Amino acid sequence: MSPRRVHLLRFAALLLFLVTLVVSLGLRRMAADRMQDLERRQRTLQALAPDLERLARYEAVEAALAADPTAGRLPAPPDGSPAPDVEERKVMPAVGAWRGVQVELGWRRLETGTALRLASHYMAHQPPWRVARLYMQALETAGTCRLELRLESAQPAEEP
Amino acid sequence: MSAPANTKTYFPRRAWVGIDTTQTPPRVVAAWRVPGGLRRVEVAPAVLRERRPDGTRCVAGLPMSRVFCEYVAPPARACRQARRLAPGMLDLRLPLPVERCAIAWIPSPSPDAPAALLAFAVPHEALGQALQPGPARTVDTERIVPVAHALWRRWARLEPPDGAALRLLLHAGSDAWTLLIGRGAVLQSSLTLPGGDLAALARNLEVFRQRWSDRGGHLLLCGPGADESLLRQARNTPLLTGATIELAPEPAAYLATALAETAADGGATGDLREGFRDHPAWLRRQRRAALVQTAILLSASVLLVAAHLALLHRASRGVAAADAALTRQAVRLAGRTLPARGAAAVELARNELDTRLNPVVEAFADDPLVGKVDALLRVAALRTIRIASLAVDDRRIELAGSAASEADIAVLREAGRREHLAAALESESTTDGRVHFEGTFMHEGVRP
């Protein structure tokens, strides 16, 4: 190869390198834009995490409710506990595929220890039951209290 | 004079070959670097023609009868500046313009004059004649070096001078003698004398003795004409009395060895042909260097583009994967395929989720406040806090009672905070010495 050709080849390689450099800068900028897009999407994905957790919790509860054959029936009270002075059951209007069931339980005078045991017992049954409201009021007589519990459950709407 | 008998046929490709063309047949010595120094062998001219027909890595000596040798000390601090000034100073000393000469600039080895230069200048015509093919030229050597430069450097390397003593080197050639005169390691002058004229040698020694006030002097004899007989004659010459006169080792091969070793040792080459850039070996080397540079540039281009394409591809794949994940999650939230993509799909999916989740069922999924009552009541029992009333629903815990002190209420507040509950408790002292309190606990971040 003649020296002139070699020099021309080197010059061409240099030109190609310069062009490559410019192209590379463009590619780099494009890659940086893509990386920013990626970061934005990852942030959005992270922002979805609470919604996904909410959905997962919902699905777990729904599955538990659907799977429980005793849904709608109040859990049995603890052994030796007094019967409530008030027991009122309400079936709520259907919301979608589910309807709520509320049971109000009330004891006018109860030993505080027994009241706490009762509250603890019903709080442990969820789902299908949950304590939607608890009210305890200490009475003037020491060691006794008034207890009101509102228990809620849900059952498929087609079942009354 | 015949060629030496103990010549070798092997020398490595990296060896530089020095050719003393002042003798017939020429003396040829190959030298190359080995760990710890230089190695050399004498080579027969026929072997040289066979091994290096194009003169690659070959050095020939240019007799000093054709070369102007000038010691130039420009008023400069650095060697670079001296190189700019020196041609002008040399021009004043030469009988012809410097533009018509090939010049080899040798930096001074003297630490006292770091900017001084030794210039070897040869007219282009004389150099052209020396490069013409002829019976004396074994091969077209890649370099052509003034013999004074090679001889002086070799002597300085073999016998480093002590101080600035007067040193003379006589190369006794077949036709003429070359006398080099210097102080210490610095070559100052070069003279061509008629062959066998010891009287002229003695006269010149006397001139330089007087110029530098040095009554001694060290004279080295080399070249094909240097032998024991010449040594005896020199020692018997009255005007050379007081000078140390020695015969160089292997005097006939001294120049060829000097040329080879100077080239193999690297550093200042003294090459007068350097500026012409016309030797095939030089052209070949240049071509190879250009091809290597071309290959490097092409490889760098390919690597650069490949690296950036890979970067872009990776980022694009990441975006595609994130898009797919977003779509998957949005579909999972919405429970169906959505007609939108990206952020719009996410917004749509959230709305769909709010619509499709049954509030009756979702109430069970919320973190129940009743579960946190136990922790509050335990603290209340420990601090002898009396609870008058406790009401819990999905939004708040309402508490009323009395405590022994504000500190107990603070402990109750702290217990709520540990359960991630925000407390809003109001307290006031009562007549019985206790502190009455009343207030609510709610999930943190939930507005009352």
Side-chain angles (χ1 to χ4, degrees):
Chain A
M1 199 181 285
S2 71
R4 187 179 159 74
R5 273 191 164 185
V6 170
H7 287 303
L8 274 175
L9 190 66
R10 185 170 55 178
F11 183 67
L14 184 65
L15 278 182
L16 181 69
F17 178 73
L18 291 175
V19 170
T20 307
L21 210 61
V22 174
V23 170
S24 297
L25 284 175
L27 287 173
R28 193 180 181 82
R29 202 158 35 238
M30 281 168 71
D33 290 347
R34 289 272 196 292
M35 289 306 283
Q36 278 185 353
D37 284 351
L38 180 61
E39 281 168 18
R40 269 198 296 274
R41 279 160 175 73
Q42 279 170 344
R43 274 200 298 273
T44 311
L45 270 174
Q46 279 169 3
L48 278 180
D51 295 304
L52 290 166
E53 279 173 24
R54 180 184 166 200
L55 178 61
R57 277 201 309 273
Y58 177 87
E59 285 173 345
V61 168
E62 194 179 40
L65 286 172
D68 196 323
T70 63
R73 262 180 283 159
L74 196 63
D79 291 340
S81 60
D85 301 317
V86 177
E87 182 170 347
E88 197 179 328
R89 185 186 177 94
K90 274 191 264 180
V91 178
M92 311 304 283
V95 178
W98 295 87
R99 71 170 72 245
V101 178
Q102 282 186 359
V103 175
E104 299 275 359
L105 298 175
W107 290 264
R108 291 197 187 91
R109 185 179 289 272
L110 199 60
E111 282 182 19
T112 306
T114 308
L116 288 172
R117 204 171 73 246
L118 273 168
S120 176
H121 172 75
Y122 286 112
M123 278 193 285
H125 279 82
Q126 49 172 314
W129 287 95
R130 72 184 193 97
V131 177
R133 184 172 173 277
L134 177 149
Y135 179 72
M136 284 175 79
Q137 187 184 19
L139 299 176
E140 287 162 3
T141 313
T144 60
C145 68
R146 185 152 70 94
L147 174 66
E148 289 173 14
L149 285 171
R150 182 189 297 152
L151 303 179
E152 275 186 2
S153 184
Q155 51 191 229
E158 59 274 12
E159 292 177 19
Chain B
M1 195 171 287
S2 63
N6 57 342
T7 56
K8 306 281 184 199
T9 55
Y10 172 77
F11 54 91
R13 285 184 65 183
R14 68 175 188 280
W16 278 89
V17 179
I19 307 166
D20 178 3
T21 52
T22 60
Q23 302 179 47
T24 308
R27 295 294 284 252
V28 181
V29 172
W32 64 96
R33 276 180 173 279
V34 289
L38 289 166
R39 189 165 170 210
R40 62 178 186 276
V41 292
E42 194 150 2
V43 180
V47 173
L48 175 68
R49 278 190 211 100
E50 187 187 319
R51 296 280 309 274
R52 302 273 174 94
D54 61 349
T56 303
R57 294 176 86 84
C58 290
V59 196
L62 189 66
M64 295 307 288
S65 56
R66 305 180 189 179
V67 181
F68 298 103
C69 175
E70 293 292 337
Y71 182 79
V72 185
R77 286 182 193 163
C79 208
R80 228 172 131 173
Q81 192 185 7
R83 284 293 294 269
R84 279 203 304 274
L85 298 171
M89 295 176 71
L90 181 66
D91 196 40
L92 298 173
R93 299 196 199 169
L94 293 182
L96 72 167
V98 285
E99 293 80 15
R100 286 174 54 195
C101 294
I103 305 168
W105 297 98
I106 310 297
S108 166
S110 168
D112 300 332
L117 295 162
L118 189 66
F120 293 105
V122 59
H124 287 155
E125 297 79 21
L127 185 61
Q129 282 169 14
L131 292 172
Q132 286 295 317
R137 293 201 74 206
T138 319
V139 288
D140 181 17
T141 56
E142 187 181 332
R143 289 183 187 174
I144 189 156
V145 173
V147 296
H149 172 58
L151 289 169
W152 194 261
R153 271 181 71 95
R154 185 174 189 224
W155 190 25
R157 191 171 57 249
L158 294 180
E159 290 180 56
D162 184 18
L166 176 61
R167 278 159 70 98
L168 296 97
L169 188 148
L170 177 73
H171 180 258
S174 314
D175 305 326
W177 284 5
T178 301
L179 178 64
L180 310 180
I181 305 108
R183 296 184 75 190
V186 184
L187 174 64
Q188 302 254 356
S189 187
S190 165
L191 298 168
T192 302
L193 308 175
D197 193 350
L198 272 173
L201 168 66
R203 280 197 303 277
N204 278 294
L205 173 64
E206 193 54 32
V207 167
F208 283 99
R209 273 177 170 170
Q210 286 181 12
R211 184 184 293 176
W212 293 327
S213 308
D214 188 336
R215 295 311 304 162
H218 185 180
L219 173 63
L220 182 77
L221 305 177
C222 67
D227 52 14
E228 289 295 334
S229 158
L230 181 66
L231 181 66
R232 265 195 309 279
Q233 285 178 47
R235 283 181 176 162
N236 293 332
T237 303
L239 278 173
L240 294 177
T241 311
T244 308
I245 305 171
E246 285 179 335
L247 188 62
E250 297 180 64
Y254 198 86
L255 176 57
T257 309
L259 289 166
E261 284 186 357
T262 304
D265 199 29
T269 64
D271 184 16
L272 289 164
R273 197 174 180 174
E274 195 176 15
F276 291 88
R277 299 175 177 179
D278 59 346
H279 193 271
W282 187 89
L283 292 172
R284 198 167 51 244
R285 213 169 286 135
Q286 288 299 108
R287 193 163 59 236
R288 200 178 303 137
L291 285 173
V292 167
Q293 286 163 5
T294 305
I296 289 171
L297 282 169
L298 288 175
S299 309
S301 304
V302 169
L303 277 176
L304 208 60
V305 169
H308 282 94
L309 278 176
L311 202 68
L312 183 63
H313 180 63
R314 202 183 68 174
S316 299
R317 277 184 61 185
V319 170
D323 267 342
L326 261 179
T327 307
R328 212 166 42 243
Q329 310 287 38
V331 167
R332 175 159 158 64
L333 287 178
R336 65 182 178 89
T337 312
L338 294 167
R341 289 176 64 82
V346 169
E347 203 53 42
L348 205 58
R350 280 184 173 144
N351 292 338
E352 287 278 323
L353 184 68
D354 287 338
T355 311
R356 67 184 271 240
L357 297 194
N358 192 307
V360 175
V361 176
E362 200 178 10
F364 285 85
D366 289 340
D367 186 15
L369 272 176
V370 285
K372 301 177 189 293
V373 170
D374 190 40
L376 295 178
L377 291 180
R378 204 175 299 125
V379 170
L382 282 172
R383 307 296 292 200
T384 61
I385 296 171
R386 292 179 197 154
I387 304 294
S389 70
L390 167 69
V392 187
D393 61 17
D394 287 342
R395 291 177 60 81
R396 63 174 68 82
I397 299 171
E398 287 177 358
L399 206 57
S402 66
S405 66
E406 286 285 351
D408 289 341
I409 298 170
V411 171
L412 191 62
R413 227 180 250 120
E414 181 57 33
R417 194 171 298 124
R418 277 201 298 274
E419 294 293 324
H420 305 289
L421 297 173
L425 294 177
E426 287 178 0
S427 59
E428 61 177 357
S429 301
T430 55
T431 50
D432 62 354
R434 290 183 67 82
V435 181
H436 175 77
F437 68 89
E438 191 174 341
T440 58
F441 288 91
M442 298 180 76
H443 277 303
E444 278 177 351
V446 176
R447 290 185 179 180

